[in-house]
């Protein structure tokens, strides 16, 4: 599926190409006529055809009979119509800015081809816009997909990389580098579209982390069965947050303050322990001295088998494949990232290192 802009650009390209081919055909017919019917040389035949098509009025290269003049009249008419068509298409392309748009399309394709370890947002409605805002505040690379031209224009005006297309189609996902992405967020308005998108994404890149939006509990279950790693229902989540705001307002404010926003003082981040880089695998938290070295606090540890250890003690052993959920300032988390070593994971986002 091509975007509206791409369709217009390709249409004007095809029309100009068709006009050029037709003009070349008329030139060939004229040259062949003067060569084989009138018996002129190739140079004279080509010259006569050119001045006839250009309507410059130089006169006949050699005297022509009635048949030759009738053919010349037809050649003039064909040339005027053809050249007029080409000029009309070219003028429209210049006025509408198709050539500039074509340059932007090529730049966009090169930019999307260069993306790696990026995020894909499918749908730029209210949910998608908020996701893009959070991603931008975190400084992670991402691309937006939407089938609506207005949504694409809005995304581009906000400075995001955007591609117009149907996110449920494999071809669209391939164009935005699904095979190189680490996470896809399906925030389309329809549960069916989100399900198709997740299925397509998991088929093209089984390692990608897929997060989907669901409107109902039934859709939530189907998306989970379809391979979504996380399914978020705005209504269920919104209800829980409203209840938390009523019952534990200070706790909710604190959690919101460390999870979202660009002007936070405290951050929460996750670190995947890779034995190839992390020197503390097999040691206890007490021996690793992560808190004393960086000031960051280890809130929980997710084992490789999915078991969650909340509030780990000093005796808790760090194991290969563990995911450490930590809290601290941006500087503390950067220091912790340096100590634990670079993360090599297709499933989790790398912590910011700058």
């Amino acid at each position: 599926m091509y975007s509206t802009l791409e369709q217009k650009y390709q249409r004007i390209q095809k029309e100009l190409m068709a006009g050029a081919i037709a003009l070349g055909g008329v030139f060939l017919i004229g040259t062949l006529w003067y060569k084989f019917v009138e018996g002129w040389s190739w140079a004279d035949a080509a010259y006569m055809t050119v001045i006839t098509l250009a309507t410059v009025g130089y006169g006949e290269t050699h005297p022509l009979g009635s048949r030759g003049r009738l053919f010349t009249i037809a050649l003039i008419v064909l040339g005027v119509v053809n050249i007029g068509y080409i000029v009309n298409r070219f003028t429209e392309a210049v006025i509408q800015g198709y050539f500039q748009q074509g340059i932007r399309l090529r730049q966009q394709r090169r930019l999307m081809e260069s993306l790696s370890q990026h995020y894909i947002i499918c749908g730029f409605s209210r949910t998608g816009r908020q996701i893009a805002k959070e991603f931008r505040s975190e400084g992670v690379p991402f691309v937006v997909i939407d089938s609506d031209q207005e949504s694409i224009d809005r995304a581009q005006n906000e400075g995001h990389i955007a591609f117009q297309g149907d996110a449920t189609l494999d071809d669209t996902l391939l164009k935005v580098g699904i095979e190189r992405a680490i996470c896809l967020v399906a925030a389309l308005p329809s549960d069916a579209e989100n399900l198709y998108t997740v299925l397509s994404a998991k088929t093209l890149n089984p390692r990608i982390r897929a997060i989907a939006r669901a409107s109902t509990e039934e859709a939530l279950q189907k998306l989970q069965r379809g391979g979504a790693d996380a399914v978020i229902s705005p209504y269920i989540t919104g209800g829980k947050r409203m209840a938390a705001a009523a019952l534990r307002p200070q706790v909710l404010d604190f959690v919101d303050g460390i999870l979202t926003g660009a002007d936070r003082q405290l951050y929460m981040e996750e670190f995947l322990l890779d034995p190839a880089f992390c020197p503390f695998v097999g040691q206890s938290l007490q021996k690793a001295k992560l808190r004393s070295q960086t000031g960051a606090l280890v809130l929980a540890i997710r084992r490789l088998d999915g078991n969650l250890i909340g509030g780990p003690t000093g005796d808790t052993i760090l194991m290969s494949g563990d995911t450490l959920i930590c809290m601290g300032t941006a500087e503390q988390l950067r220091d912790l990232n340096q100590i634990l070593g670079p993360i090599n994971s297709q499933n989790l986002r790398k912590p910011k290192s700058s």
Side-chain angles (χ1 to χ4, degrees), residues 11 15 39 119 134 148-149 163 203 210 275 315:
R11 176 181 61 83
E15 290 175 348
Y119 291 65
E134 294 297 330
D148 181 61
Q149 182 62 51
F163 179 80
T203 301
D315 297 328

Side-chain angles (χ1 to χ4, degrees), residues 64-325:
L64 290 171
S66 299
R67 181 182 61 181
R69 290 180 176 178
L70 287 174
F71 174 79
T72 302
I73 292 172
L75 195 64
I76 292 173
V77 173
L78 287 174
V80 169
V81 171
N82 202 275
I83 294 174
Y85 175 81
I86 294 175
V87 171
N88 178 269
R89 298 292 88 194
F90 184 82
T91 304
E92 179 187 352
V94 172
I95 293 175
Q96 297 296 331
Y98 289 144
F99 295 127
Q100 296 90 327
Q101 291 170 349
I103 294 173
R104 287 198 296 270
L105 282 173
R106 288 192 292 271
Q107 292 175 339
Q108 184 186 64
R109 289 196 189 100
R110 287 195 294 267
L111 186 58
M112 286 191 291
E113 289 172 358
S114 67
L115 286 175
S116 180
Q117 300 290 295
H118 59 289
Y119 291 65
I120 300 173
I121 303 175
C122 301
F124 200 67
S125 58
R126 289 175 295 180
T127 303
R129 289 196 295 271
Q130 184 61 38
I131 297 169
K133 181 180 178 181
E134 294 297 330
F135 281 179
R136 188 165 190 172
S137 68
E138 290 285 343
V140 297
F142 67 92
V143 60
V144 174
I145 303 175
D146 201 293
S147 59
D148 181 61
Q149 182 62 51
E150 292 184 5
S151 297
I152 292 298
D153 292 340
R154 181 166 185 171
Q156 291 176 338
N157 291 336
E158 293 179 9
H160 307 317
I161 303 173
F163 179 80
Q164 186 182 8
D166 187 347
T168 64
L169 300 179
D170 292 355
D171 184 57
T172 301
L173 295 177
L174 288 171
K175 286 182 177 179
V176 297
I178 185 69
E179 70 279 4
R180 303 185 305 275
I182 60 174
C183 183
L184 177 139
V185 182
L188 298 166
S190 166
D191 291 331
E193 289 178 315
N194 288 326
L195 178 58
Y196 289 142
T197 301
V198 170
L199 289 172
S200 297
K202 284 292 186 179
T203 301
L204 298 171
N205 183 358
R207 298 174 300 173
I208 196 169
R209 179 172 174 81
I211 302 171
R213 174 187 182 275
S215 300
T216 64
E217 292 189 18
E218 182 181 1
L220 188 148
Q221 296 172 359
K222 289 182 178 179
L223 283 162
Q224 289 175 337
R225 292 199 296 267
D229 297 282
V231 183
I232 308 298
S233 173
Y235 307 107
I236 297 175
T237 303
K240 289 180 179 179
R241 289 177 62 83
M242 292 178 71
L247 299 174
R248 293 175 291 275
Q250 299 305 320
V251 173
L252 184 64
D253 289 343
F254 174 75
V255 173
D256 281 346
I258 61 177
L259 287 180
T260 61
D263 55 350
R264 291 171 280 169
Q265 295 181 346
L266 291 176
Y267 296 79
M268 287 184 69
E269 193 58 271
E270 51 190 30
F271 300 85
L272 181 64
L273 300 187
D274 189 337
F277 303 103
C278 180
F280 303 113
V281 172
Q283 298 183 15
S284 66
L285 269 176
Q286 184 178 11
K287 186 175 291 187
K289 298 180 181 179
L290 300 180
R291 179 70 186 276
S292 61
Q293 292 186 71
T294 65
L297 178 64
V298 179
L299 300 178
I301 298 177
R302 173 77 71 177
R303 296 295 191 191
L304 189 60
D305 60 4
N307 183 37
L308 181 66
I309 302 174
T313 65
D315 297 328
T316 303
I317 302 298
L318 299 176
M319 301 174 63
S320 175
D322 282 353
T323 300
L324 271 60
I325 302 173

